[in-house]
Amino acid sequence: MFFFLLSATERTLAIRLAFFPRLNLNSWLLFRDVLLDGIDEASLDGLNIKKVIEGGVFPTYGHNTRHFAARLWFHQRKEYRSAIIREAESLMFRLARSVREPEGNISPFIAAILLVGPFATSPEAKSLVVVAITMSGMIAGHAPAFLQHAQAAAKRDPAVAPFIAMGLFNCLNHAKTINDLKRRDDFLNELRILAQTHPSDVSVRDKLGRGLFNTLNDAEKGNDLQRRALLEELRASVITYPTNRSVRQHFAWGLVKALTNRLNAKDYDRADGLLTESRELLAKYPDDDEIRTQLAKGLSNTIGYGRNESREVLLLELCLLAKNHPNLVIQENVTIHDVISYALNQSGVTLMSQARTTDGAGANKLFMLACEKFEQALHIKLDAHGTLNNWGNALSGQARTVSGAEADTLYDLAGKKYEQAIKQRSEERRVGKEGRSRWG
């Protein structure tokens, strides 16, 4: 190969092709713009004419051995060392710009960055390699160096900020997995800085919102100050970026998580305030189905675990939501009607629990009300074996509050509900549907 006969742009393209993964037709179509960036297509023709590469529908040095030989030839010549580094880093940044979640298959871009990465020398370019590593599931050991240079890479080329945000988000989640909460908070702070320096980048803002929500979701029990601070940060983001869909949806998720935490702590006043805020958010963005979905979850949780006196009013609100949006999907295989059935079932469980700590006629009435809730739940979702089992428990409990023939009748009814529950559970297992009525 007579590289001294090549023009400067032809040599540049030859280097790019040598240090890039060997191409086939599909990968050429995918990476064509990346490889030809800043180069006239005539240079490709020049490499073909001068027999540097094989002619055809895509550029190639030939089979794997020839491709490796071309790379080795360049690598062994000191005069090309700086050009190799320059082109390797340039390729890495262009590849990183092209990675967008959840658009398309990012795996080929990640693989290309990992292959080209060893020829890069700058800390900024090496941080892109770390991001690629996080996307391949291998994070341990790489995080400290990445933290140091991630911001510099985004400063060098703002277009790679979304790619850097993906890496920070992956490292944040990994730190939580290994219970390194200090490192998790460090990555969250890096995401904050990245979002501040790239305020108009929707992808970066999305990763920060997800990071804030995940940290809120994982916050330890009793750490209410941290939870409130994280929720307030999500709330402030909605005010700052009112048209950003992901920002308001992360806030909606955070509201429901905070609501659930307050219900678990029996802090009903605070829970009511969060539920009101969910309603206000939907009123401000009435066309956002994700916010509507989160409100439905909040209503359901409050019906099941909130104040007794507000249960019926909230159930009516949830039913009205279902009437106006009958096709609302809460999550995969779970509709708004499933949520209503779940809320009725949880309401019945709460009534049953109260009945067990009450005596005489009061207990009888509470068990009866619980039975009504289970019956209503089954009118909506006929195949819920858990609700059938709960109904049997309520009938058995009610039977213990009376005597004689009335008690016998209730025990018989309870037995029938248990039989139906067992039959239904067996059927759900047979068709693989068990547990689908549960949602988080």
Side-chain angles (χ1 to χ4, degrees):
M1 293 185 288
F2 302 100
F3 286 98
F4 63 89
L5 297 176
L6 302 181
S7 68
T9 54
E10 288 171 345
R11 281 196 298 271
T12 296
L13 182 55
I15 291 172
R16 291 181 185 180
L17 292 173
F19 287 90
F20 204 78
R22 192 169 72 91
L23 296 169
N24 55 37
L25 178 57
N26 289 334
S27 60
W28 170 240
L29 295 174
L30 184 64
F31 295 119
R32 178 190 182 98
D33 291 342
V34 171
L35 289 165
L36 292 181
D37 184 69
I39 293 179
D40 192 288
E41 198 160 344
S43 297
L44 190 60
D45 296 332
L47 292 181
N48 277 315
I49 293 169
K50 295 170 185 176
K51 305 299 183 182
V52 175
I53 60 175
E54 294 183 359
V57 292
F58 60 91
T60 177
Y61 283 101
H63 51 66
N64 283 333
T65 302
R66 288 182 178 176
H67 186 87
F68 178 75
R71 179 182 299 175
L72 185 62
W73 189 92
F74 278 114
H75 190 60
Q76 290 177 337
R77 281 157 177 77
K78 293 182 179 180
E79 64 268 28
Y80 290 111
R81 192 68 51 82
S82 61
I84 291 170
I85 294 171
R86 181 178 63 252
E87 290 307 319
E89 295 197 359
S90 178
L91 278 171
M92 290 171 63
F93 274 88
R94 289 200 298 277
L95 287 165
R97 289 181 215 150
S98 303
V99 177
R100 289 290 185 272
E101 291 181 325
E103 300 173 8
N105 180 14
I106 66 173
S107 297
F109 292 90
I110 300 305
I113 290 172
L114 291 175
L115 185 64
V116 176
F119 303 101
T121 59
S122 73
E124 298 91 341
K126 288 181 178 179
S127 73
L128 300 182
V129 177
V130 177
V131 175
I133 290 172
T134 71
M135 293 184 182
S136 64
M138 300 177 291
I139 299 178
H142 299 282
F146 175 52
L147 265 179
Q148 187 175 356
H149 302 293
Q151 303 294 343
K155 184 177 180 180
R156 173 172 165 178
D157 184 353
V160 305
F163 187 68
I164 296 295
M166 292 178 203
L168 289 168
F169 181 72
N170 290 341
C171 290
L172 180 152
N173 289 337
H174 179 262
K176 173 59 178 67
T177 300
I178 62 175
N179 203 34
D180 188 345
L181 303 186
K182 169 66 168 58
R183 183 56 55 80
R184 178 203 65 186
D185 292 343
D186 287 343
F187 283 117
L188 183 60
N189 285 332
E190 290 295 319
L191 269 173
R192 289 186 178 108
I193 294 170
L194 192 66
Q196 289 168 2
T197 53
H198 303 273
S200 61
D201 196 310
V202 175
S203 297
V204 173
R205 182 62 53 183
D206 176 71
K207 286 295 178 289
L208 173 60
R210 289 179 182 273
L212 288 169
F213 173 75
N214 285 359
T215 307
L216 169 64
N217 193 43
D218 296 332
E220 297 178 2
K221 290 182 179 179
N223 197 348
D224 193 41
L225 286 177
Q226 183 190 27
R227 287 172 171 173
R228 289 196 182 201
L230 291 164
L231 185 64
E232 180 56 37
E233 193 169 349
L234 288 168
R235 183 182 288 113
S237 294
V238 176
I239 296 172
T240 306
Y241 304 95
T243 61
N244 189 309
R245 187 168 180 265
S246 68
V247 163
R248 60 178 180 261
Q249 289 182 353
H250 296 143
F251 178 46
W253 298 351
L255 284 172
V256 173
K257 179 60 182 178
L259 168 64
T260 303
N261 291 337
R262 291 301 88 207
L263 289 172
N264 290 337
K266 300 189 185 304
D267 184 356
Y268 298 128
D269 288 340
R270 173 86 174 129
D272 288 346
L274 292 164
L275 186 60
T276 297
E277 197 168 1
S278 292
R279 294 187 185 103
E280 292 171 348
L281 188 64
L282 180 59
K284 188 173 181 179
Y285 302 99
D287 296 326
D288 196 317
D289 276 346
E290 182 59 29
I291 296 176
R292 185 173 290 105
T293 293
Q294 296 307 312
L295 175 59
K297 289 183 178 182
L299 287 168
S300 179
N301 289 345
T302 309
I303 290 166
Y305 304 103
R307 290 189 176 97
N308 295 336
E309 58 269 23
S310 61
R311 186 171 290 123
E312 295 303 320
V313 174
L314 294 175
L315 186 58
L316 182 62
E317 183 180 352
L318 186 59
C319 289
L320 185 61
L321 195 64
K323 180 181 178 181
N324 293 333
H325 303 276
N327 298 320
L328 186 65
V329 175
I330 303 304
Q331 63 185 44
E332 187 178 4
N333 299 317
V334 180
T335 69
I336 182 69
H337 304 288
D338 296 318
V339 172
I340 292 175
S341 178
Y342 172 85
L344 286 164
N345 178 66
Q346 290 304 113
S347 179
V349 169
T350 301
L351 288 166
M352 188 165 54
S353 298
Q354 293 169 356
R356 287 169 177 162
T357 59
T358 308
D359 298 323
N364 184 288
K365 182 177 180 181
L366 287 169
F367 277 123
M368 189 181 303
L369 290 172
C371 289
E372 290 177 3
K373 296 300 180 187
F374 297 135
E375 183 177 13
Q376 291 168 6
L378 286 166
H379 275 306
I380 298 170
K381 189 173 179 62
L382 300 175
D383 60 352
H385 76 266
T387 304
L388 283 164
N389 189 71
N390 287 336
W391 195 352
N393 290 340
L395 287 166
S396 294
Q398 188 181 4
R400 289 190 288 272
T401 67
V402 294
S403 60
E406 186 179 359
D408 292 339
T409 299
L410 288 169
Y411 278 125
D412 287 343
L413 288 172
K416 291 178 181 178
K417 298 305 175 188
Y418 290 138
E419 289 175 3
Q420 292 174 21
I422 293 170
K423 181 180 179 181
Q424 183 58 50
R425 185 176 185 182
S426 298
E427 177 63 17
E428 289 175 0
R429 283 181 170 176
R430 185 183 69 80
V431 299
K433 291 172 61 179
E434 186 174 11
R436 282 190 177 176
S437 63
R438 297 184 181 185
W439 51 274

